């Protein structure tokens, strides 16, 4: 193996290196190749969708998530923790749709569960008492917000709980 290839494989990915290989359009969220790279021609978009919906691309022998490369390209630093897609669309890598968050912050913006029957996260029908129940997760603990006669009251309680415990409401 040549020294050139060895040094490329073991090089820490820097913003300058990413900018050498890729262009990023923050308005569209699309990464394109700046130079001919294996089978890709300059101007070709990079990234293919994985089973989880996130776009990935191979760069210098390593697989990267496209939204993390876009962040590095634009901001010049790797995200400190996680990146959240605000609109929950995992292949929408526009800069306005990405934000740095902690694990807890990322979980707050999750889509509602498939088993959710109310249409609103944290609100469910409590069959035993024939009432709507509202709850919220905070610091990895489930907090009961109450039982309510109407779904509207339960949703209002959940929204108030979001403001109280999280300081913000969900992106819904």
């Amino acid at each position: 193996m040549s020294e050139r290839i060895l040094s490329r494989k073991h090089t820490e990915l820097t913003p300058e290196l990413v900018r050498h290989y890729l262009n990023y359009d923050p308005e569209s969220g699309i990464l394109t190749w700046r130079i001919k790279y294996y089978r890709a021609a300059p101007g070709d978009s990079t990234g293919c969708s994985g089973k989880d919906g996130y776009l990935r691309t191979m760069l210098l022998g390593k697989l990267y998530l496209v939204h993390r490369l876009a962040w590095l390209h634009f901001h010049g630093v790797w995200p400190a923790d996680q990146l959240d897609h605000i609109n929950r669309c995992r292949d929408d890598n526009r800069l306005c749709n990405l934000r740095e968050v902690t694990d807890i912050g990322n979980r707050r913006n999750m889509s509602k569960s498939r088993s959710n029957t109310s249409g609103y996260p944290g609100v469910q029908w409590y069959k035993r008492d024939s009432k709507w129940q509202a709850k919220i997760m905070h610091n990895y603990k489930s907090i009961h917000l109450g039982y309510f006669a109407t779904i509207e009251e339960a949703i209002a309680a959940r929204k108030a709980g979001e403001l109280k415990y999280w300081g913000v409401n969900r992106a819904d």
Side-chain angles (χ1 to χ4, degrees):
M1 188 179 278
S2 74
E3 187 171 310
R4 181 174 159 250
I5 292 174
L6 258 178
S7 63
R8 271 195 331 178
K9 279 196 166 192
H10 298 291
T11 302
E12 183 64 34
L13 201 56
T14 64
E16 294 76 23
L17 202 52
V18 170
R19 291 176 188 136
H20 172 74
Y21 287 99
L22 300 167
N23 283 322
Y24 173 61
D25 178 13
E27 296 296 318
S28 68
I30 296 173
L31 274 173
T32 55
W33 292 104
R34 286 190 70 229
I35 60 174
K36 181 172 176 14
Y37 189 76
Y38 293 99
R39 294 182 182 170
D44 287 353
S45 64
T46 184
C48 59
S49 186
K51 290 181 182 179
D52 59 4
Y54 291 109
L55 296 175
R56 292 168 166 71
T57 194
M58 188 70 80
L59 183 60
L60 301 176
K62 189 173 176 189
L63 196 61
Y64 292 95
L65 292 167
V66 169
H67 60 279
R68 295 183 72 80
L69 289 176
W71 189 271
L72 177 64
H73 188 287
F74 188 83
H75 291 287
V77 293
W78 285 105
D81 201 348
Q82 296 182 17
L83 286 179
D84 179 35
H85 288 83
I86 297 168
N87 68 2
R88 297 186 204 100
C89 184
R90 294 176 173 182
D91 62 355
D92 182 356
N93 295 318
R94 293 174 298 137
L95 190 62
C96 66
N97 189 44
L98 299 175
R99 64 179 169 192
E100 273 190 287
V101 292
T102 62
D103 180 57
I104 292 173
N106 209 359
R107 290 172 188 263
R108 288 178 185 158
N109 196 29
M110 286 175 54
S111 299
K112 69 181 187 324
S113 166
R114 289 181 186 167
S115 63
N116 183 307
T117 56
S118 72
Y120 196 85
V123 176
Q124 64 188 30
W125 180 250
Y126 193 65
K127 190 175 182 180
R128 188 188 79 187
D129 292 345
S130 296
K131 293 195 181 219
W132 290 97
Q133 177 186 27
K135 56 185 176 180
I136 192 167
M137 290 292 288
H138 182 65
N139 292 335
Y140 300 102
K141 293 181 182 173
S142 181
I143 299 170
H144 175 74
L145 300 172
Y147 295 107
F148 304 91
T150 67
I151 190 170
E152 292 80 14
E153 292 173 316
I155 291 172
R158 167 61 189 227
K159 287 184 178 187
E162 290 171 3
L163 286 175
K164 178 180 177 182
Y165 293 104
W166 300 346
V168 294
N169 283 113
R170 288 175 44 92
D172 288 334

